[in-house]
Amino acid sequence: MITVVIPYYQRLPGILGRAIRSVMYQSVELPITLIVVDDDSPIPASVDLQGIRAPDNICIRIIRRSNGGPGAARNTGLQNTPLKTKYLAFLDSDDEWTQHHLESAITALDRGYDFYFSDFYQLEQTVSAFARAGRIDISKHEPLDGEPQLFAYVGSMLNQIIMGNIIGTSTVVYDFQKFSEIRFREDLKSAGEDYLFWIEFAKRGARFVFSTRQEAVYGKGINVYSGAKWGSVDILRRIQNELEYRKSIEKVVSLNQEQQDFIKGKITELRESFLRALLHYMRHTRKIPLSLIWSQIGRDAKTLLLLPRLMAHKTLGFNRSKS
């Protein structure tokens, strides 16, 4: 059995239906349990799925819960996954799979690998994620016999995730029987919770395999990461979550010197980004988001040490005479 977990929160109708149909059109006839976790969505999942008739091999379950973010919604799906599930797949509600995604994943995982992912198209892109990011050299990985698009990942996936992640959530399929206890961090609602989830697999020695074929197309809906726009409170929350994610890495894994230096640089960048976004927000809205400021002090007091230098930076429209 395959279980597919879809966290769902959307304000426009029809988005979830497209994701569901992409599961229904998969080129496999194995039993599929499709769990849609309605995270208190403004458009209820039950409304968006009216008129959709699943084939006999697919059972659709809707679980409604209070809003807790994508990590909490995925955890609810994992907690309700049938015990006899062999493989677990993730699909976000505004994304779609290509027809052979599950078939390709099963082909790879049935050879003894634990964790599968593929190339994909990000929102409104015509160049695939692997090609755009340039973070993976296919020639360094081992092709699977008879499967020209499938490769066993060679090297440290832990280092790959930390230094330049290539895993897209809506392409992931893994061996649920071996890793049924791994969960997402629920406090990181807009960034980093998925990376920490992948890191747990790498820590536990999972064998990774991937496809160079683009097997998912990311769509336009409510995306808590890309939907956070400059000048909004959402971008401040997203940067907070990214900063917490980067700091968490040092607590969950032992880092080499290169990784430590990389993380240190990212933390400094994020501290500066938070302050720039904060000053921009206050200048344009004339509001002071006190709760966010206090929460940032509680999370990372060192952020404020950078404030005097940034306040005087000309690119922000501040100088010493105006301070």
Side-chain angles (χ1 to χ4, degrees), residues 66 125 156 180 200 215 239 260 308 323:
S66 58
Q125 295 295 329
S156 171
S180 61
E200 281 300 313
E215 297 178 3
I239 295 170
Q260 290 178 28
S323 61

PDB file of all heavy atoms in Angstrom, residues 66 125 156 180 200 215 239 260 308 323:
ATOM      1  N   SER A  66      -7.508  21.998  13.565  1.00  0.00           N
ATOM      2  CA  SER A  66      -7.284  23.427  13.740  1.00  0.00           C
ATOM      3  C   SER A  66      -5.986  23.813  13.060  1.00  0.00           C
ATOM      4  O   SER A  66      -5.071  22.995  12.923  1.00  0.00           O
ATOM      5  CB  SER A  66      -7.235  23.778  15.228  1.00  0.00           C
ATOM      6  OG  SER A  66      -6.206  23.047  15.876  1.00  0.00           O
ATOM      7  N   GLN A 125       8.094  28.229 -13.755  1.00  0.00           N
ATOM      8  CA  GLN A 125       9.415  28.045 -14.336  1.00  0.00           C
ATOM      9  C   GLN A 125       9.364  27.047 -15.490  1.00  0.00           C
ATOM     10  O   GLN A 125       8.600  26.085 -15.460  1.00  0.00           O
ATOM     11  CB  GLN A 125      10.410  27.555 -13.282  1.00  0.00           C
ATOM     12  CG  GLN A 125      10.670  28.547 -12.166  1.00  0.00           C
ATOM     13  CD  GLN A 125      11.359  29.805 -12.654  1.00  0.00           C
ATOM     14  OE1 GLN A 125      12.137  29.774 -13.608  1.00  0.00           O
ATOM     15  NE2 GLN A 125      11.087  30.914 -11.994  1.00  0.00           N
ATOM     16  N   SER A 156      27.610  12.545   0.795  1.00  0.00           N
ATOM     17  CA  SER A 156      26.923  12.908   2.036  1.00  0.00           C
ATOM     18  C   SER A 156      25.657  13.702   1.742  1.00  0.00           C
ATOM     19  O   SER A 156      25.731  14.889   1.383  1.00  0.00           O
ATOM     20  CB  SER A 156      27.849  13.723   2.943  1.00  0.00           C
ATOM     21  OG  SER A 156      27.126  14.248   4.041  1.00  0.00           O
ATOM     22  N   SER A 180       8.864   5.154  10.152  1.00  0.00           N
ATOM     23  CA  SER A 180       7.507   5.600  10.485  1.00  0.00           C
ATOM     24  C   SER A 180       7.459   6.595  11.638  1.00  0.00           C
ATOM     25  O   SER A 180       6.460   7.291  11.820  1.00  0.00           O
ATOM     26  CB  SER A 180       6.633   4.391  10.824  1.00  0.00           C
ATOM     27  OG  SER A 180       7.156   3.695  11.951  1.00  0.00           O
ATOM     28  N   GLU A 200      16.879  14.158   9.283  1.00  0.00           N
ATOM     29  CA  GLU A 200      16.686  12.987  10.147  1.00  0.00           C
ATOM     30  C   GLU A 200      16.953  11.691   9.383  1.00  0.00           C
ATOM     31  O   GLU A 200      17.523  10.743   9.920  1.00  0.00           O
ATOM     32  CB  GLU A 200      15.274  12.985  10.739  1.00  0.00           C
ATOM     33  CG  GLU A 200      15.095  13.916  11.919  1.00  0.00           C
ATOM     34  CD  GLU A 200      16.025  13.554  13.066  1.00  0.00           C
ATOM     35  OE1 GLU A 200      16.121  12.353  13.417  1.00  0.00           O
ATOM     36  OE2 GLU A 200      16.676  14.465  13.605  1.00  0.00           O
ATOM     37  N   GLU A 215       9.153  15.314 -12.245  1.00  0.00           N
ATOM     38  CA  GLU A 215       7.965  14.535 -11.920  1.00  0.00           C
ATOM     39  C   GLU A 215       6.929  15.297 -11.097  1.00  0.00           C
ATOM     40  O   GLU A 215       5.925  14.729 -10.689  1.00  0.00           O
ATOM     41  CB  GLU A 215       8.380  13.252 -11.194  1.00  0.00           C
ATOM     42  CG  GLU A 215       9.238  12.345 -12.067  1.00  0.00           C
ATOM     43  CD  GLU A 215       9.702  11.088 -11.360  1.00  0.00           C
ATOM     44  OE1 GLU A 215       9.314  10.888 -10.193  1.00  0.00           O
ATOM     45  OE2 GLU A 215      10.474  10.317 -11.962  1.00  0.00           O
ATOM     46  N   ILE A 239      11.651  34.788   7.904  1.00  0.00           N
ATOM     47  CA  ILE A 239      13.076  34.929   8.224  1.00  0.00           C
ATOM     48  C   ILE A 239      13.356  34.392   9.619  1.00  0.00           C
ATOM     49  O   ILE A 239      14.386  33.740   9.853  1.00  0.00           O
ATOM     50  CB  ILE A 239      13.515  36.403   8.101  1.00  0.00           C
ATOM     51  CG1 ILE A 239      13.398  36.867   6.650  1.00  0.00           C
ATOM     52  CG2 ILE A 239      14.952  36.579   8.583  1.00  0.00           C
ATOM     53  CD1 ILE A 239      13.580  38.364   6.455  1.00  0.00           C
ATOM     54  N   GLN A 260      30.237  24.494   9.533  1.00  0.00           N
ATOM     55  CA  GLN A 260      30.100  25.500  10.586  1.00  0.00           C
ATOM     56  C   GLN A 260      30.237  26.904  10.029  1.00  0.00           C
ATOM     57  O   GLN A 260      29.440  27.800  10.357  1.00  0.00           O
ATOM     58  CB  GLN A 260      31.156  25.263  11.669  1.00  0.00           C
ATOM     59  CG  GLN A 260      30.934  24.016  12.510  1.00  0.00           C
ATOM     60  CD  GLN A 260      32.043  23.811  13.518  1.00  0.00           C
ATOM     61  OE1 GLN A 260      32.675  24.753  13.972  1.00  0.00           O
ATOM     62  NE2 GLN A 260      32.300  22.559  13.866  1.00  0.00           N
ATOM     63  N   PRO A 308      22.632  49.052  14.936  1.00  0.00           N
ATOM     64  CA  PRO A 308      23.264  50.368  14.726  1.00  0.00           C
ATOM     65  C   PRO A 308      23.923  50.506  13.357  1.00  0.00           C
ATOM     66  O   PRO A 308      23.785  51.538  12.696  1.00  0.00           O
ATOM     67  CB  PRO A 308      24.295  50.433  15.864  1.00  0.00           C
ATOM     68  CG  PRO A 308      23.738  49.557  16.923  1.00  0.00           C
ATOM     69  CD  PRO A 308      23.089  48.433  16.194  1.00  0.00           C
ATOM     70  N   SER A 323      19.705  59.702  12.575  1.00  0.00           N
ATOM     71  CA  SER A 323      19.480  58.693  13.592  1.00  0.00           C
ATOM     72  C   SER A 323      19.195  59.327  14.926  1.00  0.00           C
ATOM     73  O   SER A 323      19.465  60.501  15.145  1.00  0.00           O
ATOM     74  CB  SER A 323      20.713  57.786  13.690  1.00  0.00           C
ATOM     75  OG  SER A 323      21.844  58.540  14.048  1.00  0.00           O
TER      76      SER A 323
END
